[in-house]
Amino acid sequence: MDKRSKIALYIIGAVIVLMMIAEVTKPKAINWRDSYSAADKIPLGCYILFNELNTFSEGKVLTSERSIYEYLKDIDTTTSKSLVFINNYISLDSEESKAIMDFAEKGNTVFMSGNYFYGNVIDSLNVAIERQYTNLYKKASNHNFTSPSLQKNNRLFKDVIENSHFSSVDTLKTTVLGTVTTKNEDDVDETHPNYIKVNVGEKGGQFLLHTNPFAFTNYHLMADKEDYAATVLSYLPKQQIIWDNNYKSGRKVVTSPLRYILQNRALKWAFYISMFSLILFVVFRGKRTQRIIPVINKLENATVDFTKTIGELYYQHGDFKNIIEKKIQYFLEFVRRNYYLDTNQLNQNFIDKLAVKSSNSKEDSKALVDYLVFLKYKTNHTEQELIELNKKIEHFTKHT
């Protein structure tokens, strides 16, 4: 390796080292994506809540990592349990809705906290949710409990909040446990229910529905909102809790090894450095070892030369009939080989198929086929007819 190549490699190596140092030492940007996953420590994850759920659970907290329809088929139903859903939206199909409704009717509790609820189970409870589009995100809202003894745990959410509430409920089966108060466009307070209990079945089953999932995130639990979240969960009966970790916006989905590598900071940089080093190796190593590629002349096509010689021989002897017959035979062979058409009958059906497959117009196809038929059944041929046939065939094949 010469001196210039060594200097270039040293410079590239120094740049890579500086890039790595800059990447490692720069402040990590805060990830504000919705997650609600038990494993995420980002602001909108539920790492803190999940690790504190033992306070509200009778026994070890169970975790569902798959469809709730599949999970509930295998769960022990001899003892009552509480099923907890927390996400920015909760969407359930018909099978999942039926499974959850059956679970609640057996005397179990289903807790759901989300800004949106979709599915048959919500329709069955006769509740409707409305999102307050004028009070999005950082608009302050008071979240209060209806019980006088719990007023000390009311909280004002100033930021990182979306305000939703129940616009209608079934008053015969529903108890309002909490409300949300926001100011409308005229700066007047509006209060709506945002935490309700709906009784189902004859065995004491219930749904606890809440419209502020942000209250359970790491961000608010570390910002003096832990008492509010604990009070909401205090309505859960003292029984074993099932934590849903499948219906989450931040659910980890790894579909390929490369995606897993790129999601991990250390592995990502190791991958980039390896690829860059491999490129450098190929570039510098290739320049030193690659040999001159010899020029290989194109093989001569003796068949073409032979055909030209035979054609000139026929032409010199004035045997136009023989030449025309062979050109017609060659053209029909060309049609059979390229368009897979039967050339025994050159009728209108053949013309239509030929026009479609060759991308020529029906008029041009008909003119050529009619001329072929005319020449095939003619006894004597002239040079002018040979020239005209050649022009028509060339014009036809030029558009294929």
Side-chain angles (χ1 to χ4, degrees):
M1 183 180 294
D2 58 14
K3 185 176 181 181
R4 293 179 61 183
S5 299
K6 289 182 179 179
I7 294 174
L9 285 177
Y10 292 150
I11 293 174
I12 293 171
V15 171
I16 293 174
V17 171
L18 291 175
M19 289 175 61
M20 294 174 60
I21 294 174
E23 181 67 22
V24 171
T25 58
K26 76 175 183 180
K28 188 177 181 179
I30 298 176
N31 186 352
W32 286 98
R33 67 180 176 85
D34 291 342
S35 172
Y36 303 96
S37 173
D40 275 337
K41 299 180 181 180
I42 61 177
L44 297 184
C46 284
Y47 176 82
I48 296 176
L49 175 67
F50 180 76
N51 286 276
E52 294 296 326
L53 274 184
N54 289 324
T55 306
F56 307 93
S57 178
E58 185 70 30
K60 181 182 177 181
V61 176
L62 303 177
T63 303
S64 172
E65 300 282 356
R66 50 183 172 149
S67 165
I68 200 64
Y69 168 76
E70 297 176 355
Y71 184 82
L72 292 180
K73 287 194 302 183
D74 302 329
I75 199 69
D76 177 20
T77 57
T78 57
T79 58
S80 297
K81 294 179 174 58
S82 297
L83 178 58
V84 175
F85 291 90
I86 299 176
N87 199 36
N88 56 340
Y89 69 92
I90 298 172
S91 179
L92 303 168
D93 61 27
S94 58
E95 287 185 342
E96 293 165 339
S97 297
K98 185 178 184 304
I100 291 175
M101 184 61 72
D102 292 343
F103 176 77
E105 289 177 348
K106 292 177 181 178
N108 299 294
T109 298
V110 178
F111 175 86
M112 294 182 176
S113 182
N115 292 117
Y116 320 95
F117 296 89
Y118 305 102
N120 298 339
V121 66
I122 301 303
D123 298 334
S124 302
L125 298 177
N126 294 322
V127 298
I129 296 178
E130 180 179 325
R131 181 179 177 185
Q132 299 175 5
Y133 289 96
T134 56
N135 294 328
L136 292 182
Y137 299 104
K138 296 186 179 180
K139 190 73 173 180
S141 57
N142 283 294
H143 293 250
N144 306 318
F145 297 99
T146 55
S147 174
S149 63
L150 301 177
Q151 298 301 306
K152 62 181 180 180
N153 293 329
N154 295 344
R155 289 293 184 272
L156 172 66
F157 287 80
K158 295 182 179 180
D159 56 6
V160 191
I161 186 71
E162 291 186 35
N163 296 308
S164 300
H165 64 267
F166 296 101
S167 57
S168 66
V169 298
D170 185 348
T171 55
L172 296 178
K173 298 180 180 180
T174 303
T175 302
V176 177
L177 304 178
T179 61
V180 57
T181 301
T182 56
K183 292 186 180 297
N184 60 19
E185 295 178 351
D186 299 324
D187 203 31
V188 177
D189 286 344
E190 288 186 351
T191 301
H192 302 279
N194 78 329
Y195 188 27
I196 62 175
K197 179 178 74 170
V198 183
N199 296 319
V200 294
E202 304 296 332
K203 298 182 179 180
Q206 61 181 349
F207 278 84
L208 297 173
L209 305 180
H210 183 250
T211 63
N212 179 14
F214 289 89
F216 304 100
T217 59
N218 301 326
Y219 177 83
H220 285 299
L221 291 180
M222 296 181 67
D224 192 33
K225 305 295 190 302
E226 68 276 7
D227 288 341
Y228 174 83
T231 304
V232 171
L233 294 176
S234 68
Y235 282 93
L236 292 173
K238 191 64 176 179
Q239 54 196 24
Q240 191 171 30
I241 289 177
I242 303 172
W243 170 268
D244 163 64
N245 209 40
N246 179 62
Y247 301 89
K248 302 292 186 184
S249 299
R251 181 166 65 99
K252 296 290 188 288
V253 179
V254 179
T255 58
S256 68
L258 184 58
R259 181 172 180 179
Y260 176 78
I261 290 173
L262 296 180
Q263 286 179 341
N264 186 293
R265 185 178 178 183
L267 292 177
K268 178 178 70 174
W269 275 99
F271 175 77
Y272 287 157
I273 293 172
S274 299
M275 292 296 101
F276 188 70
S277 302
L278 181 61
I279 293 172
L280 285 178
F281 173 82
V282 171
V283 171
F284 287 96
R285 185 70 176 174
K287 284 185 176 180
R288 293 183 58 85
T289 60
Q290 185 175 0
R291 294 178 296 177
I292 297 175
I293 300 174
V295 177
I296 301 176
N297 295 323
K298 184 179 179 182
L299 296 175
E300 295 182 358
N301 192 339
T303 304
V304 174
D305 294 336
F306 176 78
T307 304
K308 289 181 179 180
T309 302
I310 297 299
E312 290 174 358
L313 184 62
Y314 276 116
Y315 191 82
Q316 290 173 2
H317 285 78
D319 192 358
F320 303 116
K321 176 179 176 60
N322 207 335
I323 298 176
I324 289 175
E325 288 178 351
K326 286 181 169 51
K327 286 190 71 69
I328 293 174
Q329 290 175 4
Y330 176 81
F331 176 74
L332 294 179
E333 172 61 23
F334 170 80
V335 170
R336 289 191 295 270
R337 186 177 64 253
N338 290 277
Y339 305 134
Y340 305 100
L341 294 176
D342 184 6
T343 59
N344 290 326
Q345 294 183 356
L346 305 181
N347 51 23
Q348 185 61 43
N349 184 37
F350 172 81
I351 294 173
D352 293 339
K353 292 181 179 179
L354 181 62
V356 172
K357 292 198 173 186
S358 66
S359 301
N360 282 276
S361 65
K362 288 186 178 181
E363 291 76 14
D364 290 345
S365 300
K366 180 175 175 55
L368 174 58
V369 174
D370 288 345
Y371 197 66
L372 293 179
V373 174
F374 166 73
L375 293 177
K376 282 183 69 174
Y377 294 99
K378 189 178 179 184
T379 305
N380 298 316
H381 299 88
T382 64
E383 180 181 358
Q384 188 60 36
E385 291 172 342
L386 173 60
I387 294 173
E388 182 65 20
L389 174 62
N390 189 67
K391 288 181 179 179
K392 287 183 179 296
I393 292 175
E394 287 184 351
H395 175 75
F396 183 88
T397 55
K398 189 182 297 182
H399 293 83
T400 56

